[in-house]
Amino acid sequence: MTTETFTLPDVGEGLTEAELVAWKVAPGDAVAVNDVICEIETAKSLVELPSPHAGVVGELLVAEGVTVEVGSPIITFVSEAEAADAGIAANPKDPAAPPATDEGGGSVLVGYGTGGGATSRRRTPRQAQGPSGRGPVRSSVGVIAKPPIRKLARDLNVDLTEVTPSGADGEVTRDDVVKHAEQASVFRNIETPAWGAVREEKLPVTPRVDDGRSESIPVKGVRKATSSAMVQSAYSAPHVTVWKEIDATRTMELVKRLKASPDYADIRVSPLLVMARAVIWAARRTPMVNAAWVDTDAGAEIAVRHYVNLGIAAATPRGLLVPNIKDAQDLSMKELARALNRLTLTAREGKTSPADQQGGTITITNIGVFGMDAGTPIINPGEAGIVAMGTIAQKPWVVDGEVRPRWVTTVSGSFDHRVIDGDGMSRFIADVASILEEPALLVD
């Protein structure tokens, strides 16, 4: 019998190893070219691997949760004819499964493979247990939704049969799933998803062999990459943090007006949008916060960037990701809002690419969604500043000599003291605060 062995590929990011998170097939499954066979987790992203072969799955060579090196065999295939000759009954494809296409209609290709009308199949017995056996998943047979939308629904624990579709021919869209998953409000931004019942559901947990009072969690994937970056930053850049409490009432009023505006009808708007515009505006007035310390063979240099690749720290179920919006200084308010929406959804789906996480110049972390007033964030490597936005809550505030209830927040920022001095970082935070206090200053 002719057997085709598929080895773990480099998915186009200089990959050396990856964790096999979940198999989407089992021995005996009939597959077509580009059918998704498994999910792998690299240091930066969760990737679906499509099959390069058509035939029947022979053997799964790697167990879920195991980290393997690029080039290692992970699965074998045999042709359907040879499988039949050998008496192997191929599991049929699910006729109700949707085509394996992205939202633009093209085939699902992750770094390799060929185009064409390949179909994706769902194995009902396996899926009934949920991804990686994490619990039941309700049947959504009959619901019109593309594979990325179905995955988003699983990640957000959304029952597709309860979602009201808004797409053509009754198709469930990405926005339908997100709207169903959580009720948007001006007090909770969507840039950081809500925690699930399990904080690190994709990290294998191995109980210790002592008295069962502790457990060990292997450090790999996103957690390994994050820890390395944070240690590098904390022990190479001298951090200094400053903060300012401000009256953000007018920011809240602007957000409310934008939400009610027909121009923003299809865009989710939150105070983070105003914060992002404020940081971009303030960075133009104090360019050193957008600079970076660079060590070279000839000595140290400070690279001042005349553009803003705005990073947004996103706490996802897989760990901390910091994708950035390229050339954010060139975007209008509406364009920036759309970019923030795309960044959020991509991070939630685990589809943030390594390129989207590289080249950042300054970062915003929204700790207010966790009810925190202020913090001392760690600077991303390659940057000189990070700004934290605290929770926005009503507090007594003195206005024109009278105490009134106002929406109050705290803006804090950590900076690389090798690059920028106290007067510069203080001026920058004061500028950000002035925009949140009076967004009309953004109008040229």
Side-chain angles (χ1 to χ4, degrees):
M1 181 181 298
T2 303
T3 301
E4 297 283 356
T5 301
F6 179 44
T7 61
L8 179 67
D10 180 348
V11 292
E13 53 185 277
L15 184 70
T16 59
E17 65 178 20
E19 177 188 349
L20 202 153
V21 175
W23 283 109
K24 302 301 182 183
V25 296
D29 275 4
V31 297
V33 172
N34 289 335
D35 277 358
V36 174
I37 58 174
C38 66
E39 287 181 342
I40 63 169
E41 183 176 24
T42 71
K44 291 294 184 181
S45 58
L46 192 66
V47 178
E48 292 181 337
L49 289 185
S51 172
H53 304 292
V56 175
V57 175
E59 183 180 2
L60 307 183
L61 304 176
V62 177
E64 293 180 351
V66 173
T67 298
V68 294
E69 296 183 354
V70 168
S72 300
I74 62 173
I75 189 173
T76 64
F77 301 91
V78 296
S79 70
E80 292 193 20
E82 289 182 310
D85 291 341
I88 301 174
N91 298 323
K93 296 180 177 64
D94 181 355
T101 60
D102 59 27
E103 291 203 66
S107 297
V108 176
L109 297 174
V110 188
Y112 67 97
T114 60
T119 57
S120 170
R121 51 81 241 119
R122 297 191 312 271
R123 294 181 58 251
T124 304
R126 182 177 181 84
Q127 282 206 338
Q129 296 179 350
S132 300
R134 290 195 298 270
V137 176
R138 299 179 183 89
S139 172
S140 60
V141 174
V143 175
I144 304 174
K146 294 171 183 172
I149 308 306
R150 292 178 180 273
K151 183 179 185 305
L152 175 62
R154 291 197 302 271
D155 291 344
L156 297 181
N157 196 28
V158 168
D159 180 0
L160 282 175
T161 62
E162 297 180 358
V163 177
T164 301
S166 65
D169 300 322
E171 181 178 2
V172 175
T173 68
R174 189 172 298 177
D175 196 46
D176 295 335
V177 173
V178 172
K179 284 181 179 179
H180 189 88
E182 64 177 47
Q183 304 226 342
S185 75
V186 294
F187 311 113
R188 184 171 184 82
N189 300 329
I190 66 165
E191 280 64 29
T192 306
W195 290 112
V198 181
R199 291 283 294 267
E200 303 280 352
E201 61 179 322
K202 290 187 181 298
L203 287 180
V205 178
T206 306
R208 295 186 187 278
V209 295
D210 52 13
D211 55 5
R213 297 178 61 186
S214 62
E215 59 188 14
S216 62
I217 300 176
V219 178
K220 52 187 174 181
V222 172
R223 178 62 57 195
K224 182 177 180 180
T226 300
S227 63
S228 176
M230 293 301 97
V231 169
Q232 174 190 345
S233 176
Y235 287 95
S236 61
H239 285 52
V240 175
T241 304
V242 295
W243 58 87
K244 181 175 175 61
E245 190 175 39
I246 61 174
D247 177 1
T249 301
R250 288 182 176 171
T251 283
M252 300 299 280
E253 293 171 349
L254 173 60
V255 169
K256 185 177 181 180
R257 289 197 298 272
L258 292 178
K259 283 176 173 287
S261 170
D263 290 340
Y264 287 79
D266 62 338
I267 306 174
R268 286 180 175 268
V269 179
S270 76
L272 184 62
L273 172 61
V274 183
M275 179 69 165
R277 286 298 297 269
V279 168
I280 295 168
W281 181 81
R284 185 182 303 135
R285 290 164 55 88
T286 309
M288 297 307 286
V289 303
N290 196 49
W293 181 275
V294 181
D295 289 310
T296 69
D297 293 338
E301 298 176 347
I302 294 177
V304 182
R305 281 79 69 103
H306 300 292
Y307 59 92
V308 177
N309 288 348
L310 184 64
I312 305 294
T316 76
R318 296 176 49 246
L320 177 67
L321 300 178
V322 190
N324 61 79
I325 300 171
K326 302 294 192 290
D327 291 314
Q329 78 284 348
D330 294 333
L331 303 180
S332 66
M333 181 77 90
K334 186 187 295 186
E335 290 170 337
L336 184 60
R338 290 190 185 279
L340 287 169
N341 281 195
R342 287 193 298 270
L343 177 149
T344 300
L345 291 173
T346 302
R348 280 181 167 177
E349 290 181 335
K351 299 297 185 181
T352 303
S353 70
D356 288 338
Q357 298 178 69
Q358 296 170 355
T361 62
I362 190 169
T363 294
I364 298 173
T365 178
N366 184 11
I367 60 175
V369 296
F370 306 115
M372 298 295 102
D373 293 326
T376 56
I378 297 178
I379 304 164
N380 274 336
E383 301 177 18
I386 181 171
V387 185
M389 184 178 187
T391 189
I392 303 178
Q394 280 198 317
K395 295 182 180 180
W397 195 263
V398 177
V399 181
D400 297 330
E402 298 180 358
V403 178
R404 302 178 186 175
R406 306 288 283 182
W407 292 108
V408 177
T409 189
T410 300
V411 174
S412 56
S414 296
F415 302 90
D416 187 341
H417 215 320
R418 298 173 300 175
V419 176
I420 185 170
D421 296 325
D423 62 333
M425 62 182 76
S426 298
R427 184 168 57 250
F428 171 77
I429 290 296
D431 280 344
V432 172
S434 69
I435 295 298
L436 294 178
E437 290 175 339
E438 183 46 83
L441 292 174
L442 289 171
V443 179
D444 293 333

